[in-house]
Amino acid sequence: MTIILGIESSCDETGVGLVRLGPDGAVELLADEVASSVEQHARFGGVVPEVASRAHLEAMVPTMRRAFEVAGLRLSDVDAVAVTCGPGLAGALLVGVSAAKAYALSLGVPLYGVNHLAGHVAADTLEHGALPSPTLALLVSGGHSQLLRVDNLAGEITEIGSTIDDAAGEAYDKVARVIGLPYPGGPPIDKAAQRGNPAAIPFPRGLTGPRDAKYDFSFSGLKTSVARWVEARERDGEEVPVDDVAASFQEAVADVLTAKAVRAATDLGMSTLVISGGVAANSRLKQLAAERCAAAGITLRVPRPRLCTDNGAMIAALGAHLVAAGVKPSSLDLTTDPALPVSTISV
Ligand code: KG4
Ligand code: ZN
């Protein structure tokens, strides 16, 4: 039996997770504690790096204590430490990596510096077990929008496509601001959209022309189009139909994400699609993905929302897969890499 501690601090969530790796390679979730600084960023409409770093520093030890309490474990039970070393905000990553080094060194256990994006994919194994090989992953959050081919979570992930401008969650956050909804924009837009008409306004579907990159995304044009539409209404002194704008915007995002994911899975011969990241909590995205995957004969896996957003359990889970695969640990002079490519699963 092996206990792995996972630490996440790449953005505005301080996450500490504990998992147990069984002799059969199964990974069991024991604790998943998260402290978020999202409220401190709300009035700025986006994450402020310096504020996030300080919040990680303050939250790290209390979050760690809570995780051990929930799991009923002691520090001395830990057999390996995994930590996000990239991609993410430099100062924020540094807090987690420094903490992880201190724990690994003082406990005399191996340290694994791991990729945050691979962690998002690993989160699903905590809920639905091992991933078939290959699996297609659609990663959609505030910082990333990518299609990944996952051959082996511990060794081989290839980027198939990504956003050429804004991330999907970023578009939600920016559109929310335009229509007067709070930050982060995903949850309030999701809610408003339930009351609106998704066909009310024909917003553009980025990069879906015949000559466009098949598996890349673009949400900047959509965001601008929503802003122009709302401005025109306001200029004419007309009321903005917030629910219809939210529903029509959301439909455009869900349509493009699911169409491209299903097309990639079909073209490249992958029969399982995993969707993860904060935007995977979106009700319309899940509904449309389920419909389109069923029609194309693709198995859809979406972890519960708590595992989709940033957390330490996903990092512990990825650490467990690395330990199980016998991957070499990182050295204690591990550094952070804010631009770590997804193909580098561990450093
Ligand atoms: O994965 P995450 O917690 O953090 C990052 O790594 O960015 O994702 C946060 C993003 C935010 O942009 C937020 O607006 C979006 O996920 N989000 C949603 C929903 N819940 C959160 N977007 C659409 N629908 C939701 N229900
Ligand atoms: Zn993330």
Side-chain angles (χ1 to χ4, degrees), residues 76-154:
S76 56
D77 293 321
V78 170
D79 297 296
V81 178
V83 62
T84 303
C85 64
L89 303 170
L93 288 166
L94 211 50
V95 178
V97 168
S98 305
K101 283 183 184 178
Y103 285 108
L105 184 67
S106 61
L107 295 170
V109 300
L111 171 72
Y112 292 84
V114 307
N115 190 303
H116 177 81
L117 307 175
H120 270 301
V121 183
D124 186 66
T125 64
L126 288 170
E127 190 161 337
H128 300 116
L131 289 175
S133 176
T135 285
L136 180 69
L138 170 64
L139 212 79
V140 273
S141 72
H144 10 88
S145 300
Q146 288 171 315
L147 279 170
L148 308 170
R149 178 189 164 106
V150 184
D151 284 284
N152 170 4
L153 250 183

Coordinates of all heavy atoms in Angstrom, one line a residue, residues 76-154:
S76 N 3.8 11.0 8.5 CA 4.8 9.8 8.4 C 4.2 8.7 7.6 O 4.9 7.8 7.2 CB 5.2 9.3 9.8 OG 4.0 9.0 10.5
D77 N 2.9 8.7 7.2 CA 2.3 7.7 6.4 C 2.6 7.9 4.9 O 2.4 7.0 4.1 CB 0.8 7.7 6.6 CG 0.4 7.2 8.0 OD1 1.0 6.3 8.5 OD2 -0.6 7.8 8.5
V78 N 3.1 9.1 4.6 CA 3.3 9.5 3.1 C 4.5 8.7 2.5 O 5.6 8.7 3.1 CB 3.4 11.0 3.0 CG1 3.9 11.4 1.6 CG2 2.1 11.7 3.3
D79 N 4.3 8.1 1.4 CA 5.3 7.4 0.7 C 5.9 8.2 -0.5 O 7.0 7.8 -1.0 CB 4.8 6.1 0.1 CG 4.3 5.2 1.3 OD1 5.2 4.8 2.1 OD2 3.1 4.9 1.4
A80 N 5.2 9.2 -1.0 CA 5.7 10.0 -2.1 C 4.9 11.3 -2.2 O 3.8 11.3 -1.8 CB 5.6 9.3 -3.5
V81 N 5.6 12.4 -2.7 CA 5.0 13.7 -2.8 C 5.0 14.1 -4.3 O 6.0 14.0 -4.9 CB 5.7 14.7 -2.0 CG1 5.1 16.1 -2.2 CG2 5.8 14.4 -0.5
A82 N 3.8 14.5 -4.8 CA 3.7 15.0 -6.2 C 3.2 16.4 -6.1 O 2.4 16.8 -5.2 CB 2.7 14.2 -7.0
V83 N 3.8 17.3 -7.0 CA 3.4 18.7 -7.0 C 3.4 19.2 -8.4 O 4.1 18.8 -9.2 CB 4.5 19.5 -6.1 CG1 5.9 19.4 -6.7 CG2 4.0 20.9 -6.0
T84 N 2.4 20.1 -8.6 CA 2.4 20.8 -9.9 C 3.6 21.7 -10.1 O 3.8 22.6 -9.2 CB 1.1 21.7 -10.0 OG1 0.0 20.9 -9.8 CG2 1.0 22.4 -11.4
C85 N 4.4 21.5 -11.1 CA 5.5 22.4 -11.3 C 5.3 23.2 -12.6 O 6.2 24.0 -13.0 CB 6.9 21.6 -11.4 SG 7.0 20.5 -12.7
G86 N 4.2 23.0 -13.3 CA 3.8 23.8 -14.5 C 2.7 23.2 -15.2 O 2.5 22.0 -15.0
P87 N 2.1 23.8 -16.2 CA 2.2 25.2 -16.4 C 1.3 26.0 -15.4 O 0.5 25.4 -14.7 CB 1.6 25.4 -17.8 CG 0.6 24.2 -18.0 CD 1.2 23.1 -17.2
G88 N 1.5 27.3 -15.3 CA 0.8 28.1 -14.4 C 1.5 29.4 -14.1 O 2.4 29.8 -14.7
L89 N 1.0 30.1 -13.0 CA 1.6 31.4 -12.6 C 2.9 31.1 -11.9 O 2.9 30.3 -10.9 CB 0.6 32.1 -11.7 CG -0.7 32.4 -12.3 CD1 -1.7 33.0 -11.2 CD2 -0.6 33.4 -13.5
A90 N 4.0 31.8 -12.3 CA 5.3 31.5 -11.7 C 5.4 31.5 -10.2 O 5.8 30.6 -9.5 CB 6.3 32.4 -12.3
G91 N 4.9 32.6 -9.6 CA 5.0 32.8 -8.2 C 4.1 31.8 -7.4 O 4.5 31.3 -6.4
A92 N 2.9 31.6 -8.0 CA 2.0 30.6 -7.4 C 2.6 29.2 -7.4 O 2.5 28.5 -6.4 CB 0.7 30.7 -8.1
L93 N 3.1 28.8 -8.5 CA 3.7 27.5 -8.6 C 4.9 27.3 -7.6 O 5.0 26.2 -7.0 CB 4.3 27.3 -10.0 CG 3.4 27.1 -11.2 CD1 4.1 27.2 -12.5 CD2 2.7 25.7 -11.1
L94 N 5.6 28.4 -7.4 CA 6.8 28.3 -6.5 C 6.4 28.0 -5.1 O 7.1 27.3 -4.4 CB 7.5 29.7 -6.6 CG 9.0 29.8 -6.4 CD1 9.7 28.8 -7.3 CD2 9.5 31.2 -6.6
V95 N 5.2 28.5 -4.6 CA 4.8 28.2 -3.3 C 4.6 26.7 -3.1 O 5.0 26.1 -2.1 CB 3.5 29.0 -2.9 CG1 3.0 28.6 -1.5 CG2 3.7 30.5 -3.1
G96 N 3.9 26.1 -4.0 CA 3.6 24.6 -3.9 C 4.9 23.8 -4.1 O 5.1 22.8 -3.3
V97 N 5.7 24.2 -5.0 CA 7.0 23.4 -5.2 C 7.9 23.5 -4.0 O 8.5 22.5 -3.5 CB 7.7 23.9 -6.5 CG1 9.1 23.3 -6.6 CG2 6.9 23.4 -7.7
S98 N 7.9 24.7 -3.4 CA 8.8 24.9 -2.2 C 8.2 24.0 -1.0 O 9.0 23.3 -0.3 CB 8.8 26.3 -1.7 OG 9.2 27.1 -2.8
A99 N 6.9 24.0 -0.9 CA 6.3 23.2 0.2 C 6.5 21.7 -0.1 O 6.9 21.0 0.9 CB 4.8 23.5 0.2
A100 N 6.3 21.3 -1.3 CA 6.5 19.9 -1.6 C 8.0 19.4 -1.4 O 8.2 18.3 -0.8 CB 6.2 19.6 -3.1
K101 N 8.9 20.3 -1.7 CA 10.3 19.9 -1.4 C 10.6 19.8 0.1 O 11.2 18.8 0.5 CB 11.2 21.0 -2.0 CG 11.4 21.0 -3.5 CD 12.4 22.1 -3.8 CE 12.6 22.2 -5.3 NZ 13.5 23.3 -5.7
A102 N 10.0 20.7 0.8 CA 10.2 20.6 2.3 C 9.6 19.3 2.9 O 10.2 18.7 3.7 CB 9.5 21.9 2.9
Y103 N 8.4 19.0 2.4 CA 7.8 17.7 2.9 C 8.6 16.5 2.5 O 8.9 15.6 3.3 CB 6.3 17.6 2.4 CG 5.4 18.6 3.2 CD1 4.8 19.7 2.6 CD2 5.1 18.3 4.5 CE1 4.0 20.6 3.3 CE2 4.2 19.2 5.2 CZ 3.7 20.3 4.6 OH 2.9 21.1 5.3
A104 N 8.9 16.5 1.2 CA 9.7 15.3 0.7 C 11.0 15.1 1.4 O 11.4 14.0 1.8 CB 9.9 15.4 -0.8
L105 N 11.7 16.3 1.5 CA 13.0 16.2 2.2 C 12.9 15.8 3.6 O 13.7 14.9 4.1 CB 13.7 17.6 2.1 CG 15.1 17.7 2.6 CD1 16.1 16.9 1.7 CD2 15.6 19.2 2.6
S106 N 12.0 16.4 4.4 CA 11.9 16.1 5.8 C 11.4 14.6 6.0 O 11.7 14.0 7.0 CB 11.1 17.1 6.5 OG 9.7 17.1 6.0
L107 N 10.6 14.1 5.1 CA 10.0 12.8 5.3 C 10.9 11.7 4.7 O 10.8 10.5 4.9 CB 8.6 12.7 4.6 CG 7.5 13.5 5.3 CD1 6.3 13.5 4.4 CD2 7.2 13.0 6.7
G108 N 11.9 12.2 3.8 CA 12.8 11.2 3.2 C 12.1 10.4 2.1 O 12.3 9.2 2.0
V109 N 11.1 11.0 1.4 CA 10.4 10.2 0.4 C 10.6 10.9 -1.0 O 11.0 12.1 -1.1 CB 8.8 10.2 0.7 CG1 8.6 9.5 2.0 CG2 8.2 11.6 0.7
P110 N 10.3 10.2 -2.1 CA 10.6 10.7 -3.4 C 9.6 11.9 -3.8 O 8.5 11.9 -3.3 CB 10.4 9.6 -4.4 CG 9.7 8.5 -3.6 CD 10.0 8.7 -2.2
L111 N 10.1 12.8 -4.6 CA 9.3 14.0 -5.0 C 9.1 13.9 -6.5 O 10.0 13.5 -7.3 CB 10.2 15.2 -4.7 CG 9.7 16.6 -5.3 CD1 8.5 17.1 -4.5 CD2 10.8 17.6 -5.2
Y112 N 7.9 14.1 -7.0 CA 7.5 14.1 -8.4 C 7.0 15.5 -8.8 O 5.9 15.9 -8.3 CB 6.5 13.1 -8.7 CG 7.0 11.6 -8.5 CD1 7.0 11.0 -7.3 CD2 7.5 10.9 -9.6 CE1 7.4 9.7 -7.1 CE2 7.9 9.6 -9.5 CZ 7.9 9.0 -8.2 OH 8.4 7.8 -8.1
G113 N 7.7 16.2 -9.6 CA 7.2 17.5 -10.2 C 6.4 17.1 -11.4 O 6.9 16.4 -12.3
V114 N 5.1 17.5 -11.4 CA 4.2 17.0 -12.5 C 3.5 18.1 -13.2 O 3.4 19.2 -12.7 CB 3.2 16.0 -11.9 CG1 3.8 14.8 -11.1 CG2 2.1 16.7 -11.1
N115 N 2.9 17.7 -14.4 CA 2.3 18.7 -15.3 C 0.8 18.8 -14.8 O 0.0 17.8 -14.7 CB 2.3 18.1 -16.7 CG 1.9 19.1 -17.7 OD1 0.7 19.6 -17.7 ND2 2.7 19.4 -18.7
H116 N 0.4 20.1 -14.7 CA -1.0 20.4 -14.2 C -2.0 19.9 -15.2 O -3.1 19.4 -14.8 CB -1.1 21.9 -14.1 CG -2.4 22.4 -13.8 ND1 -2.9 22.4 -12.5 CD2 -3.4 22.9 -14.5 CE1 -4.1 22.9 -12.5 NE2 -4.5 23.2 -13.7
L117 N -1.7 20.0 -16.5 CA -2.7 19.5 -17.5 C -2.9 18.0 -17.5 O -4.0 17.5 -17.6 CB -2.3 20.0 -18.9 CG -1.9 21.5 -19.0 CD1 -1.4 21.8 -20.4 CD2 -3.2 22.3 -18.7
A118 N -1.8 17.3 -17.4 CA -1.9 15.8 -17.2 C -2.7 15.5 -16.0 O -3.4 14.5 -15.9 CB -0.5 15.2 -17.2
G119 N -2.5 16.3 -14.9 CA -3.3 16.1 -13.7 C -4.8 16.2 -13.9 O -5.5 15.4 -13.4
H120 N -5.2 17.2 -14.7 CA -6.6 17.3 -15.0 C -7.2 16.0 -15.6 O -8.3 15.6 -15.3 CB -6.9 18.5 -16.0 CG -7.1 19.8 -15.3 ND1 -8.1 20.0 -14.4 CD2 -6.5 21.0 -15.4 CE1 -8.1 21.2 -14.0 NE2 -7.1 21.9 -14.5
V121 N -6.4 15.4 -16.5 CA -6.8 14.1 -17.1 C -6.8 13.0 -16.0 O -7.8 12.2 -16.0 CB -5.9 13.7 -18.3 CG1 -6.5 12.5 -19.0 CG2 -5.8 14.9 -19.3
A122 N -5.8 13.0 -15.2 CA -5.7 12.0 -14.2 C -6.9 12.0 -13.2 O -7.2 11.0 -12.6 CB -4.4 12.1 -13.4
A123 N -7.4 13.2 -13.0 CA -8.6 13.3 -12.1 C -9.7 12.3 -12.4 O -10.3 11.8 -11.5 CB -9.1 14.8 -12.2
D124 N -9.9 12.1 -13.6 CA -11.0 11.2 -14.0 C -10.8 9.8 -13.6 O -11.7 9.0 -13.3 CB -11.2 11.2 -15.5 CG -12.4 10.4 -15.9 OD1 -13.6 10.8 -15.5 OD2 -12.3 9.4 -16.6
T125 N -9.5 9.4 -13.4 CA -9.2 8.0 -13.0 C -9.6 7.8 -11.5 O -9.9 6.6 -11.1 CB -7.7 7.6 -13.2 OG1 -6.9 8.4 -12.3 CG2 -7.3 7.8 -14.6
L126 N -9.8 8.9 -10.8 CA -10.2 8.7 -9.4 C -11.7 8.4 -9.3 O -12.2 7.7 -8.4 CB -10.0 10.0 -8.6 CG -8.6 10.4 -8.3 CD1 -8.5 11.8 -7.8 CD2 -8.0 9.4 -7.3
E127 N -12.4 8.7 -10.4 CA -13.9 8.5 -10.4 C -14.2 7.3 -11.3 O -15.1 6.5 -10.9 CB -14.6 9.7 -10.9 CG -16.1 9.5 -10.7 CD -16.9 10.9 -10.7 OE1 -16.2 11.9 -10.4 OE2 -18.1 10.8 -11.0
H128 N -13.5 7.1 -12.4 CA -13.9 6.1 -13.4 C -12.9 5.0 -13.6 O -13.0 4.2 -14.6 CB -14.4 6.8 -14.7 CG -15.5 7.7 -14.6 ND1 -15.4 9.1 -14.8 CD2 -16.8 7.5 -14.1 CE1 -16.6 9.7 -14.6 NE2 -17.4 8.7 -14.2
G129 N -11.8 5.0 -12.9 CA -10.8 4.0 -13.0 C -9.8 4.2 -14.2 O -9.8 5.3 -14.8
A130 N -9.0 3.2 -14.5 CA -8.0 3.4 -15.5 C -8.5 3.8 -16.9 O -9.7 3.5 -17.2 CB -7.2 2.1 -15.7
L131 N -7.7 4.6 -17.6 CA -8.2 5.1 -18.9 C -7.8 4.1 -20.0 O -6.7 3.5 -20.0 CB -7.4 6.4 -19.3 CG -7.8 7.7 -18.5 CD1 -6.9 8.8 -19.0 CD2 -9.2 8.0 -18.8
P132 N -8.7 3.8 -20.9 CA -8.3 3.0 -22.1 C -7.2 3.7 -22.9 O -7.1 4.9 -22.9 CB -9.5 2.7 -22.9 CG -10.5 3.7 -22.4 CD -10.1 4.3 -21.1
S133 N -6.4 2.9 -23.6 CA -5.3 3.6 -24.4 C -5.6 3.3 -25.9 O -5.8 2.1 -26.3 CB -4.0 3.0 -24.0 OG -3.0 3.5 -24.9
P134 N -5.6 4.3 -26.7 CA -5.5 5.7 -26.4 C -6.9 6.3 -26.0 O -7.9 5.8 -26.4 CB -5.1 6.4 -27.7 CG -5.7 5.5 -28.8 CD -5.8 4.1 -28.2
T135 N -6.9 7.4 -25.3 CA -8.1 8.1 -24.9 C -7.9 9.6 -25.4 O -6.8 10.1 -25.4 CB -8.3 8.2 -23.4 OG1 -8.7 6.9 -22.9 CG2 -9.3 9.2 -22.9
L136 N -9.0 10.2 -25.8 CA -9.0 11.6 -26.2 C -9.4 12.4 -25.0 O -10.4 12.1 -24.4 CB -9.9 11.9 -27.4 CG -10.0 13.3 -27.9 CD1 -8.6 13.7 -28.5 CD2 -11.1 13.6 -28.8
A137 N -8.7 13.4 -24.7 CA -9.1 14.3 -23.6 C -9.3 15.7 -24.1 O -8.6 16.2 -24.9 CB -8.0 14.3 -22.5
L138 N -10.5 16.3 -23.6 CA -10.8 17.7 -23.9 C -10.6 18.4 -22.6 O -11.4 18.1 -21.6 CB -12.2 17.8 -24.4 CG -12.8 19.2 -24.6 CD1 -12.0 20.1 -25.6 CD2 -14.3 19.2 -24.9
L139 N -9.7 19.3 -22.6 CA -9.3 20.0 -21.3 C -9.8 21.5 -21.5 O -9.3 22.2 -22.3 CB -7.8 20.0 -21.2 CG -7.4 20.0 -19.8 CD1 -7.5 18.6 -19.3 CD2 -5.9 20.4 -19.7
V140 N -10.8 21.8 -20.7 CA -11.4 23.2 -20.9 C -11.5 23.9 -19.5 O -12.3 23.5 -18.7 CB -12.8 23.1 -21.5 CG1 -12.6 23.2 -23.1 CG2 -13.6 21.9 -21.1
S141 N -10.6 24.9 -19.3 CA -10.7 25.6 -18.1 C -10.4 27.1 -18.3 O -10.5 27.6 -19.4 CB -9.6 25.1 -17.1 OG -8.4 25.5 -17.6
G142 N -10.2 27.9 -17.2 CA -10.0 29.3 -17.4 C -8.6 29.6 -18.1 O -8.5 30.6 -18.7
G143 N -7.7 28.7 -18.0 CA -6.4 28.9 -18.6 C -6.1 28.1 -19.8 O -5.1 28.3 -20.5
H144 N -6.9 27.0 -20.1 CA -6.5 26.1 -21.2 C -7.8 25.6 -21.9 O -8.8 25.4 -21.3 CB -5.6 25.0 -20.7 CG -5.4 24.9 -19.3 ND1 -6.2 24.1 -18.5 CD2 -4.5 25.4 -18.4 CE1 -5.9 24.2 -17.2 NE2 -4.8 25.0 -17.1
S145 N -7.6 25.3 -23.2 CA -8.6 24.6 -24.0 C -7.8 23.8 -25.0 O -7.2 24.3 -25.9 CB -9.4 25.6 -24.8 OG -10.1 26.5 -23.9
Q146 N -7.8 22.5 -24.8 CA -6.9 21.6 -25.6 C -7.6 20.3 -25.8 O -8.4 19.8 -25.0 CB -5.6 21.3 -24.8 CG -4.7 22.5 -24.7 CD -3.5 22.2 -23.8 OE1 -3.8 21.7 -22.7 NE2 -2.3 22.5 -24.2
L147 N -7.2 19.7 -27.0 CA -7.5 18.3 -27.3 C -6.2 17.5 -27.2 O -5.2 17.9 -27.8 CB -8.1 18.2 -28.7 CG -9.6 18.5 -28.8 CD1 -10.0 18.6 -30.3 CD2 -10.5 17.5 -28.1
L148 N -6.2 16.5 -26.4 CA -5.0 15.7 -26.1 C -5.2 14.2 -26.5 O -6.3 13.7 -26.1 CB -4.6 15.8 -24.7 CG -4.5 17.2 -24.1 CD1 -4.3 17.1 -22.5 CD2 -3.3 17.9 -24.7
R149 N -4.2 13.6 -27.0 CA -4.3 12.1 -27.2 C -3.5 11.6 -26.0 O -2.3 11.9 -25.9 CB -3.6 11.8 -28.5 CG -3.5 10.3 -28.8 CD -2.7 9.9 -30.0 NE -2.4 8.5 -29.9 CZ -2.9 7.6 -30.7 NH1 -3.8 7.9 -31.6 NH2 -2.6 6.3 -30.6
V150 N -4.1 10.8 -25.2 CA -3.5 10.2 -24.0 C -3.2 8.7 -24.3 O -4.1 7.9 -24.3 CB -4.3 10.4 -22.8 CG1 -3.6 9.9 -21.5 CG2 -4.7 11.8 -22.6
D151 N -2.0 8.4 -24.6 CA -1.6 6.9 -24.8 C -1.3 6.3 -23.4 O -1.6 5.1 -23.2 CB -0.4 6.8 -25.7 CG -0.8 7.1 -27.1 OD1 -1.4 6.2 -27.7 OD2 -0.6 8.2 -27.7
N152 N -0.7 7.1 -22.6 CA -0.3 6.5 -21.3 C -0.1 7.7 -20.3 O 0.8 8.6 -20.6 CB 1.1 5.8 -21.5 CG 1.7 5.4 -20.1 OD1 1.2 5.6 -19.1 ND2 2.9 4.9 -20.2
L153 N -0.9 7.8 -19.3 CA -0.9 8.9 -18.4 C 0.4 9.2 -17.7 O 0.8 10.3 -17.4 CB -2.0 8.7 -17.3 CG -3.2 9.5 -17.3 CD1 -4.1 9.1 -16.1 CD2 -2.9 11.0 -17.3
A154 N 1.2 8.1 -17.6 CA 2.5 8.2 -16.9 C 3.6 8.5 -17.9 O 4.8 8.7 -17.5 CB 2.8 7.0 -16.1

